[in-house]
Amino acid sequence: TQLLEQSPQFLSIQEGENLTVYCNSSSVFSSLQWYRQEPGEGPVLLVTVVTGGEVKKLKRLTFQFGDARKDSSLHITAAQPGDTGLYLCAGARSAGNQFYFGTGTSLTVIP
Amino acid sequence: DAGVIQSPRHEVTEMGQEVTLRCKPISGHDYLFWYRQTMMRGLELLIYFNNNVPIDDSGMPEDRFSAKMPNASFSTLKIQPSEPRDSAVYFCASSLGSYTEAFFGQGTRLTVV
C-alpha cells in the first residue's frame, strides 16, 4: 500500500497548455517535497513545503500544500517540452523521519 | 563537488550471482539513502544511514540484501544471491539532514537474467 498516491499516473499534453498533478494521502505530513526525474537520471528537488496552506512558486510552477497537510498539488502554466519528466512527491511524517515517495506522474509535453 | 557518484551505471548478471553496488556521497553529508525504483512499485527506500550507522533497514526486501557504510565517503549495497525480480534501478542519495534536500546519484540499472 502506497502512503502517497499521485494522479494522474500519465499525462500527455500539448505545449502551451496548463496542467495540475496531485499528491494525496490519508496521513498528515510535517513537510512535503516535489522532485522531477528525467530519463536516466536521479530525481532532483524542485521545492519543499512545510506549512499547511503554503503556496510556493518556481517560475511557471506553483506548488500548494493542503491546509490539513495531507495533500499537495503542482500546477504548471504554459507547459514546455523541457517540463517533460517524472514528477514525484515525497512526504515526511515526523521530524527526523525519512521521506516516503509517491507513485509519480509521468508528464510528456508535445511540441 | 561532483555530486553523488554511483557505480557501475549498468550491471547485467546471472541469477544466483553476487552483485555489489557502490556509492560515494557528497562530502559533508550526514545521511545516505539507498532506494530501488521499478515501474510497479515506484521509488522505495531500502535503508538509510546517519553518520555511517544504519538507522532504518525495514525497507530491505530480504536477507539476500545487505548494506554497509564503512566510512563517511563510501557505501555498498550487496545482493547475494541475486534473482530476476531484483532487476531495477538502484539509487543512492545523500543529504545534510533527514529533513533536507536529498541529492541523488544517476543510479545503477541492474538486470538479473
Side-chain angles (χ1 to χ4, degrees):
Chain A
T1 302
Q2 285 282 358
L3 201 60
L4 285 161
E5 295 287 343
Q6 291 186 242
S7 61
Q9 187 176 0
F10 298 96
L11 186 58
S12 182
I13 62 170
Q14 293 289 331
E15 181 176 0
E17 293 183 353
N18 302 332
L19 68 115
T20 302
V21 298
Y22 301 92
C23 174
N24 294 298
S25 176
S26 58
S27 299
V28 176
F29 293 98
S30 53
S31 72
L32 193 138
Q33 298 177 328
W34 283 92
Y35 288 79
R36 181 171 66 208
Q37 183 180 17
E38 298 184 7
E41 302 292 331
V44 175
L45 181 70
L46 296 173
V47 77
T48 301
V49 287
V50 298
T51 304
E54 182 177 3
V55 177
K56 280 192 174 179
K57 292 192 175 183
L58 184 66
K59 297 183 181 178
R60 293 176 294 99
L61 278 60
T62 301
F63 305 84
Q64 183 162 8
F65 201 10
D67 290 340
R69 291 185 287 131
K70 292 182 179 181
D71 54 84
S72 181
S73 64
L74 159 59
H75 181 79
I76 302 179
T77 303
Q80 299 178 359
D83 296 327
T84 293
L86 178 67
Y87 288 82
L88 295 159
C89 64
R93 286 194 290 183
S94 61
N97 207 340
Q98 70 272 16
F99 281 89
Y100 295 89
F101 277 82
T103 49
T105 292
S106 180
L107 171 66
T108 301
V109 182
I110 303 167
Chain B
D1 201 313
V4 176
I5 300 173
Q6 292 187 244
S7 64
R9 286 296 308 277
H10 302 274
E11 177 81 33
V12 181
T13 190
E14 292 185 345
M15 181 174 64
Q17 295 296 308
E18 177 180 295
V19 175
T20 299
L21 312 181
R22 297 172 175 78
C23 175
K24 182 182 187 311
I26 293 173
S27 177
H29 282 192
D30 293 333
Y31 285 80
L32 183 140
F33 307 85
W34 281 101
Y35 289 91
R36 178 173 67 177
Q37 188 173 39
T38 61
M39 285 293 294
M40 290 297 294
R41 301 176 67 86
L43 197 62
E44 303 173 278
L45 177 65
L46 300 177
I47 184 172
Y48 77 96
F49 296 82
N50 179 22
N51 292 323
N52 313 337
V53 176
I55 302 302
D56 186 349
D57 65 353
S58 59
M60 297 286 262
E62 300 172 34
D63 291 344
R64 298 184 295 107
F65 286 69
S66 62
K68 293 182 180 180
M69 192 166 185
N71 57 63
S73 60
F74 184 66
S75 177
T76 59
L77 177 68
K78 186 178 293 186
I79 308 173
Q80 166 64 17
S82 58
E83 297 183 4
R85 58 196 170 114
D86 301 330
S87 296
V89 181
Y90 290 81
F91 286 100
C92 174
S94 69
S95 68
L96 282 171
S98 64
Y99 240 21
T100 60
E101 177 180 2
F103 292 82
F104 284 77
Q106 290 187 298
T108 295
R109 180 173 295 277
L110 173 65
T111 304
V112 183
V113 298

